[in-house]
Amino acid sequence: MKKSFIPAPAVLGMLGGGQLGRYFVMAAHELGYQVWVLDPDADSPAGRIADRHLCAAYDDAAAMAELAAGCSAVTTEFENVPAETLAILAEQVPVHPSAAAVSVCQDRIAEKTFLKKNGLPHGPFAEINTLEDLYAAPAHLFPGILKAARLGYDGKGQAVVNDRAAAEAAWLELGRVRCILEAKLPLDYEISVVLARGQDGRVKAFPSAENRHRNGILDVSIVPAWRVDQNAVCVTDNAGDVAEKLAGCLGYVGTLGVEFFVSHGQLVVNEMAPRPHNSGHYTIDACATNQFEQQVRALCGLPLGDSRAHSAAVMVNLLGDLWFDGCKQREPDWAALLAIPGLCLHLYGKQSPRVGRKMGHFTVIGDNAQQVFEGAMQARKVLGLPDA
Ligand code: ADP
Ligand code: MG
C-alpha cells in the first residue's frame, strides 16, 4: 500500500473496543478524526465513545463490508482479531499494521521463528504438536514453560513445567492444542519498549519501562527502567535498538509493544504486541506524544510525534479485585488516591468489576524517579495493595 496522508475529519476504523481502543478514539478525536469501532461487546469501553459502534463478530462479513466502505483506514487494538479479517479489509482500505505482521505476533511459534530467522535475541524453544514432540524436546528446555501457541494473555494458557511428566499433564490440560515449550529463564528483571513506526519507515521509540507482574498480569511499569543498576542503562539502550530492528523486519506500521527479559544481564525478546501496550500507558501523562496518538499518526501518514518523556513515571494497573472486600463490593477510595501529588487517575468506564479485569490505572509523574516511585507505593498503600 503506498504512503498515504489521510486528513481529518476522515473516519478511521478500529478493530476491538477495549481500553486500548478507547484511548485511540480519544487521540483520534483530538486530531479531528472520527472513529468507528468493531467489537462484539455491546458495552465496550471504546464503543461507548466512538462515533459509531458496529456491534458484531470480528469475522462478520456485513460489518467488515460496512467498515471498509465507511473508513479511510483501519487499525487494531487487539492482536487476536483474525489476521484474515485484516487481509480482507486490506483489499479495500489501507490497514496498518498489516495482516502479515499481526499474524506473526498472534502465534508464539511464528513469533519465535521470526526472531530466530532475523537474528534477534530469543530464548530456546520447541514446537509441540504431539506427545512425541514433548518427549523429543531437548532436556535443556526443562524446567520450562508450556504455552498455547495462540490466544494466551495475562499469563493465561501457560504453565510452568518442571519435567516431561508435568509437561504432559499441562498439555492435556491445555486441550492438546499446538504449544510452544520455552526454557524457563532466570529473570533479572523484565522491560518493554513501545515504539511507533511510520509508513516511511521512521521509528520513534518511547523510553523503556521496567515491568513487574503479579499473578501473570502486569502490575507496575517504572520509567526510566534503568534505575535498576548501571548495567541496565546499556541494556535498556540496546532494547530500543533491538525493538527498532524488529519493527523494520516486520515491515511494521503503527504502535508496537516489545516485551523483553533480562536474563544474566542479557536481553531476550519475550513477545510482541501489534498494538499499543499496557506498559506504554505512562506515555499518556509523561510524554509529549502518547502511544495512541502515535498510532493515529502512523495510520494517517502524519509525521510521528516527539516520544521523549518529560517526567519520570510509575504506572500501576487497577484490577477489578480492588472493588471487592471479600465477597462484598465496594468503591476504592478515589479521594485519598487523588490527593497524592503527581498522581493521574484513569478509569476505563467498565460496568462490572471482576477479579483480574483491568478497570483502570494510575500514573505518578514527577522530576525525580525515586520520589515518583515512593508516591506510587504510597498510592498502593491507600488502595490496600502490597509494595511492588
Ligand atoms: P502473556 O501473553 O500472558 O503476557 P508471556 O509470554 O509474556 O505471556 O508470559 C507472561 C509472564 O510469564 C512473563 O512476563 C514472565 O514474567 C513469565 N515468563 C514467560 N515466559 C517465560 C520464560 N521463558 N522464562 C521465564 N519467565 C517467563
Ligand atoms: Mg507478556
Side-chain angles (χ1 to χ4, degrees), residues 214-382:
R214 270 207 312 159
N215 305 323
I217 306 176
L218 180 66
D219 182 17
V220 181
S221 292
I222 302 163
V223 183
W226 44 253
R227 47 169 229 106
V228 195
D229 61 43
Q230 271 312 306
N231 175 45
V233 176
C234 157
V235 167
T236 54
D237 279 354
N238 199 359
D241 295 343
V242 171
E244 180 166 346
K245 179 174 174 209
L246 190 161
C249 294
L250 269 180
Y252 197 86
V253 174
T255 297
L256 174 75
V258 184
E259 297 179 12
F260 292 90
F261 298 143
V262 181
S263 179
H264 295 305
Q266 297 296 310
L267 263 184
V268 175
V269 176
N270 169 30
E271 61 171 352
M272 296 94 81
R275 50 168 173 77
H277 194 263
N278 193 169
S279 69
H281 284 359
Y282 82 88
T283 63
I284 299 170
D285 300 302
C287 294
T289 314
N290 71 49
Q291 60 169 348
F292 305 98
E293 181 174 339
Q294 297 289 52
Q295 188 182 19
V296 175
R297 290 185 184 221
L299 183 64
C300 296
L302 299 168
L304 297 175
D306 183 353
S307 58
R308 277 174 305 178
H310 51 66
S311 301
V314 173
M315 190 279 318
V316 174
N317 267 337
L318 300 172
L319 302 182
D321 312 43
L322 284 172
W323 275 252
F324 294 97
D325 181 7
C327 296
K328 233 179 54 220
Q329 204 166 320
R330 60 155 187 210
E331 196 62 27
D333 188 351
W334 303 128
L337 198 70
L338 287 165
I340 292 169
L343 187 141
C344 313
L345 176 64
H346 296 257
L347 295 170
Y348 308 145
K350 295 185 183 176
Q351 292 294 313
S352 37
R354 283 194 303 272
V355 170
R357 187 175 199 205
K358 290 173 182 167
M359 300 295 289
H361 70 270
F362 67 77
T363 304
V364 180
I365 58 169
D367 298 334
N368 176 301
Q370 191 56 34
Q371 267 169 14
V372 161
F373 187 76
E374 281 161 17
M377 293 312 110
Q378 188 195 340
R380 288 175 74 93
K381 213 168 264 134
V382 163

Side-chain angles (χ1 to χ4, degrees), residues 79 108 111-112 123-124 143-147 151-158 160 180-187 190 211-213 215-218 259-261 263 268 270-272 275 277:
E79 67 261 43
R108 295 186 191 276
E111 192 170 53
K112 287 285 190 314
I145 304 193
L146 187 72
K147 304 178 182 177
L151 303 175
Y153 69 101
D154 286 347
K156 293 183 182 66
Q158 57 177 271
V160 174
I180 190 166
L181 176 64
E182 299 177 10
K184 185 171 188 298
L185 302 173
L187 305 186
E190 296 182 59
N211 300 319
R212 301 183 184 174
H213 298 80
N215 305 323
I217 306 176
L218 180 66
E259 297 179 12
F260 292 90
F261 298 143
S263 179
V268 175
N270 169 30
E271 61 171 352
M272 296 94 81
R275 50 168 173 77
H277 194 263

Side-chain angles (χ1 to χ4, degrees), residues 172-193:
L172 297 177
E173 182 70 24
L174 288 169
R176 299 167 182 260
V177 293
R178 199 160 136 271
C179 281
I180 190 166
L181 176 64
E182 299 177 10
K184 185 171 188 298
L185 302 173
L187 305 186
D188 305 344
Y189 50 95
E190 296 182 59
I191 62 175
S192 58
V193 173

